[in-house]
Structures are given as structure tokens and as C-alpha cells.
Amino acid sequence: MRKLLEFLFAKRHWLLFFLCEIIAFALIYRNNAYQKNMIMTSANAVIGRILSISNTVFSYLDLQKINRQLLEKNNRLEMELIMLREQLSEKIADTLNFNGIFLNNIKDFDYEYITAKVVNNSIVYSNNYITINKGSNDGIHSDMGVISVDGLVGVVMTVKANYSLVISLLNTNLKVSAKVKNTDYFGAFSWKGGDPRFAFLEELPAHSVFKAGDTIVTSGYSTIFPQGVMIGTIDSYDKRHDNNFFFLKVRLATDFQALGTISVIENKNQEEQKEIEKGIRKDD
């Protein structure tokens, strides 16, 4: 307290000066309408500018949260659409009265998703990998599919507590079962290296019907991806293996040079399907 009093006494001239200035401005503001109006106008302009900057800053800071929420909603809607298509196809194939049945079973979907962020990514090698910031603590395990808002990304390979390593679609060792959308003809989809914008669908039967620009999606013939996940569009094609199969060049839907947030898909029945298929292979 003593030091504070000594400081105030030492600076008494400055304090007196500021006090006089405040009194002078108060008298001017109170007794002169023109100056009062100018001060009010300037103050409102300054306050308005400060509020505008403040709102801009807070809006920018909220963008990440808003984008994450929108991505989660988009992923949920996409998964529901895929499941609805599958269930509708099954009901039609069974030629049963499916009116209103499948809509009541949305909660029974076989797939769930976990949103994660890409923390490392490569596209320049023949075998590329992606690191994400979710791991076993978040429910991630190996052999889970990975997609972006645009399409297929890869498959989870290695998992630690807080991070996971994804084998990218831009990896020559990864093959995915894929088909032309709205058809039953499927083949092996893979990347051959080189341009990260294109990959290839092989072993598509010669009697299959399609055209350039058609959509390529996952076939659903695996324990990893549901049917109908977007992969890309047909850029060009020709025939291979004595003209018995088509070889399609596909423009990828996912821009691997700009991956940010992704979703990891979990097939809740994966282990059961693996077990029964493993038993069949043993019998063979």
C-alpha cells in the first residue's frame, strides 16, 4: 500500500493532467451539441467496427466445429442412403410386400462410422499411407474402411491407442471389389502408380454394358465396405485378355492431395462374416 501511495504521489502531475482532460471533455460533451453529436457518432462507428471484427473472428473460429458437424451429418445421411438402397434391393428381389418395412429398420444398420482427421498423407510413392488421429481408444481396429465426403480413401491397416495407419487407395498393394453403378458386373479395382487422379477397374466381363462417364462404386462383396460407396467415374476403357474382359481407367472422386477430415466405417458383422468364410476356405 505504501509503494502504491508513493507511486501515485510521484505521478501526481500526470494524474492531475488526465483528470483535467477528462473534466474538459465531459464539459465539452455536456454543453456543446455539435461536439456531443460528433463524439457519439465516432464512438458508435468505433464500437460497430470492433463488434464487426469480433463477430468475424468468432465466426472463423466456429467454422471448424460447424464443418465437423456438417461432415458428420453428411456421413450419416450417406450411410443411411446406402443401407436403404441395399434393403430396398433385397425386398424387391424377394418379391415381398416391402411397403414401409425397411424404413422401420434404419437403426439396425450393419455399418457405423467414426470421424477422424488426417495428420499425415503421401501420394508420391508407389505405396502410399495415411495417418489419422483416432485409434483403438476411439473404437478403431484394422480392416475398417475409410471414406471421405467425396468417396473411397482406403483401409485401416495398423492401429495404436490414439492413431491409426491407413493403406491408401493410392497404394499398388490395395485391391477393392468394385462395379459399375446400377449393374451387377464387378471387377478388381486398384491403383497402378503414377497419376494420383486415376486408378483402374480390371476383369469386368466383356458382355457388361457401360459408357464413359458412368459411376464406379464398391460392389459390397467384402467385409470392409458396404455396397454403393463412390469411387470415381469412367474416363476411358479397352479390352484385355483376348477381348474377354474390359480394362477401365477411372477418374477418382477423392482428391488425395487435399484430404482433411475422413470417416472410418465399421461393419458390425465383419467378424462373423470372416469366420464363416474362413471355415469355407478350410473346407476347400
Side-chain angles (χ1 to χ4, degrees), residues 130 143-148 151-157 166-170 174 176 224-225 254 256 259 262-265:
I130 300 165
D143 291 335
M144 292 177 72
V146 181
I147 63 173
S148 71
L152 193 145
V153 171
V155 178
V156 175
M157 185 178 71
V166 176
I167 180 169
S168 171
L169 187 59
L170 302 183
L174 180 64
V176 178
I224 298 175
F225 294 103
T254 300
F256 285 86
L259 275 181
I262 54 85
S263 293
V264 183
I265 303 175

Side-chain angles (χ1 to χ4, degrees), residues 5 24 54-56 66 71 77 91 136 166 180 186 206 214 223 249 252 278:
L5 293 175
S54 175
N55 289 334
T56 300
I66 293 171
L71 179 64
L77 290 173
K91 300 303 179 183
S136 57
V166 176
V180 179
F186 67 96
D214 282 354
T223 62
K249 182 179 182 181
L252 297 175
K278 180 180 178 181

Side-chain angles (χ1 to χ4, degrees), residues 24-284:
F25 276 114
L27 292 173
I28 293 173
Y29 177 79
R30 183 174 181 179
N31 299 318
N32 295 275
Y34 176 75
Q35 284 81 357
K36 182 178 181 179
N37 183 61
M38 289 295 295
I39 292 172
M40 287 291 294
T41 302
S42 300
N44 288 334
V46 171
I47 293 172
R49 182 61 178 170
I50 292 173
L51 290 175
S52 176
I53 294 173
S54 175
N55 289 334
T56 300
V57 171
F58 283 111
S59 295
Y60 178 79
L61 294 176
D62 285 340
L63 282 178
Q64 186 175 10
K65 179 180 178 182
I66 293 171
N67 286 338
R68 185 174 63 253
Q69 292 173 342
L70 289 175
L71 179 64
E72 290 176 353
K73 290 180 180 179
N74 183 79
N75 286 330
R76 183 162 57 250
L77 290 173
E78 183 177 355
M79 294 304 300
E80 289 180 0
L81 178 61
I82 290 172
M83 294 302 107
L84 286 171
R85 285 174 176 169
E86 286 188 355
Q87 294 188 20
L88 178 59
S89 298
E90 291 174 1
K91 300 303 179 183
I92 294 175
D94 291 339
T95 63
L96 297 175
N97 179 17
F98 60 91
N99 185 28
I101 296 176
F102 66 94
L103 290 176
N104 295 325
N105 294 325
I106 293 178
K107 63 181 180 180
D108 297 326
F109 287 167
D110 293 334
Y111 295 89
E112 295 179 346
Y113 70 90
I114 301 169
T115 303
K117 226 172 188 23
V118 173
V119 296
N120 198 6
N121 181 25
S122 65
I123 63 170
V124 298
Y125 307 108
S126 58
N127 297 316
N128 294 290
Y129 297 90
I130 300 165
T131 306
I132 60 175
N133 68 340
K134 293 289 179 69
S136 57
N137 288 344
D138 306 286
I140 306 292
H141 58 78
S142 60
D143 291 335
M144 292 177 72
V146 181
I147 63 173
S148 71
V149 68
D150 297 312
L152 193 145
V153 171
V155 178
V156 175
M157 185 178 71
T158 305
V159 180
K160 297 295 183 182
N162 299 304
Y163 293 92
S164 299
L165 189 66
V166 176
I167 180 169
S168 171
L169 187 59
L170 302 183
N171 189 308
T172 56
N173 292 323
L174 180 64
K175 291 186 182 294
V176 178
S177 179
K179 68 175 186 175
V180 179
K181 187 177 180 180
N182 298 325
T183 75
D184 293 324
Y185 302 114
F186 67 96
F189 188 87
S190 62
W191 185 61
K192 304 298 183 184
D195 196 329
R197 298 173 300 168
F198 297 96
F200 300 89
L201 180 59
E202 303 177 86
E203 302 173 5
L204 201 66
H207 57 275
S208 55
V209 179
F210 57 85
K211 63 182 182 300
D214 282 354
T215 301
I216 302 298
V217 297
T218 53
S219 67
Y221 298 149
S222 77
T223 62
I224 298 175
F225 294 103
Q227 178 178 298
V229 175
M230 178 69 172
I231 296 178
T233 55
I234 300 173
D235 184 76
S236 60
Y237 56 89
D238 60 12
K239 285 189 175 181
R240 301 283 175 91
H241 306 304
D242 298 325
N243 290 329
N244 290 322
F245 297 94
F246 279 110
F247 183 83
L248 281 62
K249 182 179 182 181
V250 178
R251 180 179 291 273
L252 297 175
T254 300
D255 184 357
F256 285 86
Q257 300 181 76
L259 275 181
T261 304
I262 54 85
S263 293
V264 183
I265 303 175
E266 179 182 18
N267 179 356
K268 293 185 287 186
N269 297 322
Q270 186 182 64
E271 291 305 317
E272 181 179 353
Q273 184 177 345
K274 280 184 176 181
E275 187 64 28
I276 193 169
E277 292 176 354
K278 180 180 178 181
I280 292 173
R281 286 192 292 271
K282 282 183 177 180
D283 292 340
D284 292 340

